[in-house]
Amino acid sequence: MATIESVAVEAYEIPTETPESDGTLAWSSTTWIVVELQAAGERGLGWTYCAPAAADLVRRKLGPLLQGHGALDIPGAHRALLDAVRNVGRPGVAACAISALDVALWDLKARILGVPLSALLGRARSSVPVYGSGGFTSYSASKLERHMAAFVELGLSSAKMKVGRDASADPERVGRVRAAVGSDVDLFVDANGAYQRKQALEMAARFSEFGVSWLEEPVSSDDLEGLRHLRDHASLRVAAGEYGYDSFYFLRMLEAGAVDVLMADATRCLGYTGFLEVAALARAFHVPLSTHCAPYLHVPVASAVPDLLHIEYFFDHARIEQKLLDGATVPMKGALTGDASRPGHGFELRRADAQPYHC
């Protein structure tokens, strides 16, 4: 059986177009961690969005563990990676590092077998709907309007903006966006946990006046009781889950009845293996599932989940993945479609283009 011969990892820091912020955080760059596994003359590619410490963890601890491991034995490799971070701490950096490696393992296996990754996972659909995501709180009113309207011009029927930086200004900002995107677009807002419970309930009522249908992280995602309260009393769908690093996190959220829509991020929740576990949990609880960020990484696994709502076409990550990955094409008719003609997930790192951002 083919064994993993080498594990390579690099970190890249890509500046944002302009300074960005949401309800609780501001940033001017995004760090992209890319791993590559080699076996049987093939390379498997995976990535995550995390601190450079994730690359260091792969380089020093997790990569050497995979060398010599069977390239087709993903469950065994996944278990070994989880065991290795027991005393490191699984949530956070370690989970992101494992996520990138797990994605690379799946890509490598599909390439060795000579099949598209979506076929290996079990393709339930040929394309997956996407919604536009951005609308940062750092934007001026005019830039916000142009930015959100661009999603509609791209052919997307749903779009999400950030709120929560200044609650007093949020209704006006949402009203401006509604006028910019038109009445037919399904409008979402994301507070990134910026509101308190009563404040969030009040804001939900204000947002509903503009036809907003989705309220993401109105309070901290750790406040399951608060999320459940908002779900019970607000007319908007409550969504959360992006900070889940393993299936136990999502199980607690589902058992609490905290969300109308569960969100999961394969670059955080232990890769494609972890994402499929989350999908099974969501289906068992009859709760719809959506992805968080990293739009192109999610295409193959989202294609394997028949009842997944949509992929988040997050502005920053879509820009990075389109710029630095061959195979990352723009959405067509509001959806992303995997390349069924290429083995693996179909993406290749543009090394020369990425090199200037190496950190």
Side-chain angles (χ1 to χ4, degrees), residues 292-351:
H292 171 261
C293 289
Y296 293 95
L297 179 141
H298 282 107
V299 173
V301 74
S303 300
V305 180
D307 48 359
L308 185 127
L309 282 181
H310 35 46
I311 288 172
E312 180 178 15
Y313 190 74
F314 182 56
F315 176 72
D316 278 348
H317 294 180
R319 183 177 66 93
I320 290 170
E321 292 169 8
Q322 287 173 358
K323 183 175 184 177
L324 301 181
L325 292 175
D326 279 328
T329 58
V330 297
M332 296 295 292
K333 298 182 179 179
L336 285 173
T337 303
D339 188 346
S341 67
R342 302 170 69 178
H345 51 45
F347 303 116
E348 301 287 351
L349 176 65
R350 295 175 181 154
R351 299 179 190 282

Side-chain angles (χ1 to χ4, degrees), residues 113-349:
L113 296 177
V115 298
L117 181 53
S118 58
L120 179 62
L121 292 169
R123 188 187 299 116
R125 54 170 76 174
S126 59
S127 63
V128 187
V130 302
Y131 70 87
S133 175
F136 304 107
T137 59
S138 54
Y139 285 174
S140 66
S142 59
K143 181 173 177 58
L144 176 65
E145 292 167 356
R146 293 194 304 271
H147 176 83
M148 296 300 289
F151 290 130
V152 182
E153 294 166 4
L154 193 59
L156 309 186
S157 60
S158 303
K160 185 173 76 182
M161 62 180 288
K162 300 291 189 180
V163 296
R165 176 66 56 171
D166 180 359
S168 65
D170 282 339
E172 180 184 356
R173 292 179 67 250
V174 172
R176 283 180 174 272
V177 169
R178 171 53 77 196
V181 302
S183 59
D184 294 335
V185 171
D186 200 8
L187 185 57
F188 303 167
V189 298
D190 181 2
N192 288 99
Y195 298 139
Q196 299 300 310
R197 292 184 189 181
K198 289 186 177 180
Q199 182 186 35
L201 196 58
E202 178 185 352
M203 298 308 296
R206 298 290 302 277
F207 295 149
S208 67
E209 297 172 6
F210 300 101
V212 172
S213 64
W214 168 295
L215 180 56
E216 187 174 329
E217 281 199 302
V219 297
S220 169
S221 54
D222 293 326
D223 183 9
L224 297 181
E225 183 179 313
L227 288 172
R228 175 59 188 264
H229 180 79
L230 286 159
R231 184 187 179 196
D232 288 343
H233 294 91
S235 60
L236 284 63
R237 290 178 293 173
V238 173
E242 66 188 69
Y243 300 112
Y245 293 103
D246 57 35
S247 58
F248 304 108
Y249 174 99
F250 295 98
L251 178 60
R252 288 191 294 271
M253 185 168 277
L254 291 165
E255 287 179 334
V259 293
D260 294 298
V261 179
L262 189 67
M263 301 184 72
D265 186 336
T267 74
R268 294 176 177 174
C269 70
L270 307 178
Y272 291 149
T273 298
F275 189 90
L276 291 172
E277 290 180 1
V278 177
L281 284 171
R283 191 166 195 179
F285 279 82
H286 304 284
V287 173
L289 178 66
S290 181
T291 73
H292 171 261
C293 289
Y296 293 95
L297 179 141
H298 282 107
V299 173
V301 74
S303 300
V305 180
D307 48 359
L308 185 127
L309 282 181
H310 35 46
I311 288 172
E312 180 178 15
Y313 190 74
F314 182 56
F315 176 72
D316 278 348
H317 294 180
R319 183 177 66 93
I320 290 170
E321 292 169 8
Q322 287 173 358
K323 183 175 184 177
L324 301 181
L325 292 175
D326 279 328
T329 58
V330 297
M332 296 295 292
K333 298 182 179 179
L336 285 173
T337 303
D339 188 346
S341 67
R342 302 170 69 178
H345 51 45
F347 303 116
E348 301 287 351
L349 176 65

Side-chain angles (χ1 to χ4, degrees), residues 63-125:
L65 180 70
L66 288 182
Q67 288 185 345
H69 192 90
L72 304 184
D73 180 18
I74 296 176
H78 194 85
R79 182 71 260 169
L81 292 170
L82 293 179
D83 290 345
V85 299
R86 189 197 69 181
N87 292 344
V88 174
R90 181 188 299 179
V93 170
C96 288
I98 292 173
S99 296
L101 288 167
D102 183 85
V103 169
L105 283 163
W106 279 103
D107 184 42
L108 178 62
K109 182 173 183 175
R111 291 180 192 234
I112 290 174
L113 296 177
V115 298
L117 181 53
S118 58
L120 179 62
L121 292 169
R123 188 187 299 116
R125 54 170 76 174

